[in-house]
Amino acid sequence: MLMVVIPLATLLLSAWLAPAKRLWEIITTQSLIIAVMSTTWLMTQETSPFLNNYFTIDEISSPLLVLTCWLTAPTLLASQSKLSKEPISRQRAYIFTIIMLQVTTLLAFLADNMILFFIMFEATMIPTLIVITRWGAQKERMLAGTYLIFYTLFGSMALLTALLYFHETFGTMSISLAKSFSANYTLSTCSLTWWLACLIAFLVKMPLYGVHLWLPKAHVEAPIAGSMILAGTLLKLGGYGILRMNAFITDSFTPLAQPLIVFSLFGVLLSAILCSRQTDLKSLIAFSSVSHMGLVIAASMIKTEWSIAGSMVLMISHGLVSSALFCLANTSYERTNSRTLILLQGTQIIFPLAAAWWLLATLMNLALPPSPNFIGEMSILTSLFQWSNMTLTLTGLGIIFTTAYSLYMFWSSQREHLPSHLNYLPPTHTREHILLALHILPALLLMLKPTLMF
């Protein structure tokens, strides 16, 4: 447990105590060291999983913990160019808020008690809201914050009620204990209402199509760090929560999940179609997250070994690739002050190396073999096909439209003729290439050993 507490406490103190001239270098270096140290958690699941009575690491939480630690350094790197122009007190407050957001997310993934998980799950809302409403660039950031808080609170109240009910029924909220006795316990008094109450907060967080309206708003209005953390780790809290609640919900409720699986697959298709008609680059990437998370919801509901493994792989790879796409969108926005696709076309001519990053991220996003996205999606599609042959139609159409909007995004932002107003743009910096390498290289390395995510 000290391995978790000491580095994070040092990082939080450094945000206020580090010298102003070396603030960003010290914080980024520390977060990179923590990211490298966190990779040992991938091995922890094979030895002693318990840290203490309240926190634990197992095969579900360890890849997500590593992902959260790994994305902290790129998040700070991406914010540096814009924030370094602000007063030093605001820079320190911004860095502290970002680190607090990552700390609460880490504690949520570590929690062994569902009530403790719920508290940390809700605690992530406070730094997220501060980042969006204080450092968002657009006028509608307050509206985006309102969307975020009301959608989340609506689902969370139902989840809290369900958790209190389960505590009365089981006598404990420990996840590790629930694994041992829930298989022999039938929740006869638990109706469809209770089952929905268990899952609705996580379905909003993912988000499920239909309760997804807060996500594009939050992504478009948030600064780059907010978008990266939302796509990289906060959406994964929803999938993680569903996988954890499966320990408390017995297989007798599997038939209730069938309409939800079908609806989430329709959501995959509809959000992929919506991506194809977006004009805002960040909004397009945000809707692509809704599409990918729909597959994770469907896989988590089936509860087979292949589906759970596939959902874990897709969550990790989506966290890296989607965050990389937001970084690329931000590099374009910082130079042109526009996210409109038609105004960004032709930049491959003047930024060929940036276009190579765009191509790599786009191909991974559309699940080109043998990328981690492909491994995750194939595992999910296999489990869905075993569940019902009819899912092949929806998933097949979803794959076609995913490919279409990914290529549309690349073509609209990189190809065609270069507009005259883009002739005199500053070149991409080394910092930006390092930032993208920190996203793309881990995804490429995971191809060599995808079992780390299973």
Side-chain angles (χ1 to χ4, degrees), residues 214-371:
W214 66 270
L215 184 70
K217 272 279 182 202
H219 271 310
V220 169
E221 305 304 326
I224 178 60
S227 295
M228 286 171 67
I229 295 173
L230 267 173
T233 56
L234 289 184
L235 299 189
K236 312 306 175 284
L237 276 172
Y240 176 78
I242 292 173
L243 295 176
R244 285 306 191 200
M245 287 307 295
N246 284 343
F248 292 89
I249 301 171
T250 61
D251 292 339
S252 58
F253 288 91
T254 306
L256 296 177
Q258 292 177 3
L260 185 60
I261 294 169
V262 174
F263 184 74
S264 64
L265 290 176
F266 270 107
V268 171
L269 178 58
L270 291 171
S271 48
I273 293 170
L274 271 174
C275 284
S276 305
R277 55 186 294 272
Q278 295 298 312
T279 55
D280 187 294
L281 184 55
K282 281 184 83 171
S283 183
L284 193 158
I285 302 167
F287 273 106
S288 76
S289 295
V290 179
S291 180
H292 282 110
M293 290 300 106
L295 279 176
V296 175
I297 292 169
S300 304
M301 291 289 104
I302 294 173
K303 292 204 296 187
T304 61
E305 286 188 19
W306 272 99
S307 67
I308 290 171
S311 62
M312 284 299 301
V313 175
L314 188 56
M315 280 196 287
I316 301 300
S317 55
H318 172 266
L320 291 167
V321 173
S322 185
S323 183
L325 285 170
F326 277 115
C327 289
L328 286 163
N330 184 62
T331 56
S332 300
Y333 178 70
E334 284 181 349
R335 285 165 174 76
T336 62
N337 290 317
S338 173
R339 292 190 307 267
T340 308
L341 284 168
I342 199 168
L343 298 177
L344 299 175
Q345 63 185 16
T347 48
Q348 183 185 6
I349 298 167
I350 49 175
F351 301 136
L353 194 52
W357 289 120
W358 268 106
L359 182 62
L360 268 174
T362 305
L363 292 177
M364 285 187 172
N365 193 56
L366 61 83
L368 185 81
S371 66

Side-chain angles (χ1 to χ4, degrees), residues 397-412:
L397 286 169
I399 289 168
I400 291 168
F401 280 105
T402 300
T403 308
Y405 78 69
S406 296
L407 293 176
Y408 160 70
M409 176 176 66
F410 177 74
W411 194 270
S412 300

Side-chain angles (χ1 to χ4, degrees), residues 70-314:
W70 190 264
L71 286 181
T72 308
T75 300
L76 295 167
L77 268 176
S79 310
Q80 187 175 343
S81 61
K82 188 175 182 183
L83 264 292
S84 55
K85 299 169 187 173
E86 292 198 5
I88 189 66
S89 58
R90 291 184 189 173
Q91 293 181 43
R92 292 186 190 278
Y94 180 85
I95 291 169
F96 183 79
T97 310
I98 293 297
I99 295 167
M100 276 303 298
L101 179 51
Q102 297 292 52
V103 167
T104 49
T105 311
L106 274 173
L107 292 174
F109 287 135
L110 282 168
D112 184 51
N113 186 291
M114 280 305 292
I115 295 291
L116 181 59
F117 169 74
F118 175 80
I119 293 167
M120 291 302 161
F121 180 80
E122 289 306 301
T124 57
M125 279 301 98
I126 300 166
T128 309
L129 198 63
I130 292 169
V131 167
I132 290 173
T133 54
R134 171 63 187 83
W135 283 282
Q138 310 297 321
K139 290 181 180 179
E140 290 188 7
R141 61 183 185 272
M142 300 306 292
L143 180 63
T146 308
Y147 269 56
L148 172 68
I149 205 76
F150 273 94
Y151 268 93
T152 306
L153 289 179
F154 173 75
S156 298
M157 290 306 295
L159 174 63
L160 179 60
T161 313
L163 290 179
L164 293 174
Y165 168 78
F166 282 140
H167 187 267
E168 288 295 315
T169 308
F170 291 129
T172 180
M173 288 309 298
S174 171
I175 296 164
S176 46
L177 283 175
K179 287 177 184 176
S180 59
F181 61 63
S182 63
N184 304 319
Y185 189 90
T186 305
L187 294 175
S188 55
T189 55
C190 187
S191 62
L192 172 64
T193 311
W194 285 112
W195 179 80
L196 278 173
C198 299
L199 300 174
I200 189 166
F202 304 127
L203 295 176
V204 169
K205 192 78 167 184
M206 288 294 282
L208 178 68
Y209 186 85
V211 287
H212 70 289
L213 293 177
W214 66 270
L215 184 70
K217 272 279 182 202
H219 271 310
V220 169
E221 305 304 326
I224 178 60
S227 295
M228 286 171 67
I229 295 173
L230 267 173
T233 56
L234 289 184
L235 299 189
K236 312 306 175 284
L237 276 172
Y240 176 78
I242 292 173
L243 295 176
R244 285 306 191 200
M245 287 307 295
N246 284 343
F248 292 89
I249 301 171
T250 61
D251 292 339
S252 58
F253 288 91
T254 306
L256 296 177
Q258 292 177 3
L260 185 60
I261 294 169
V262 174
F263 184 74
S264 64
L265 290 176
F266 270 107
V268 171
L269 178 58
L270 291 171
S271 48
I273 293 170
L274 271 174
C275 284
S276 305
R277 55 186 294 272
Q278 295 298 312
T279 55
D280 187 294
L281 184 55
K282 281 184 83 171
S283 183
L284 193 158
I285 302 167
F287 273 106
S288 76
S289 295
V290 179
S291 180
H292 282 110
M293 290 300 106
L295 279 176
V296 175
I297 292 169
S300 304
M301 291 289 104
I302 294 173
K303 292 204 296 187
T304 61
E305 286 188 19
W306 272 99
S307 67
I308 290 171
S311 62
M312 284 299 301
V313 175
L314 188 56

Side-chain angles (χ1 to χ4, degrees), residues 371-386:
S371 66
N373 280 59
F374 172 76
I375 298 166
E377 286 192 20
M378 277 306 296
S379 304
I380 291 171
L381 296 183
T382 305
S383 57
L384 283 170
F385 187 71
Q386 291 295 323

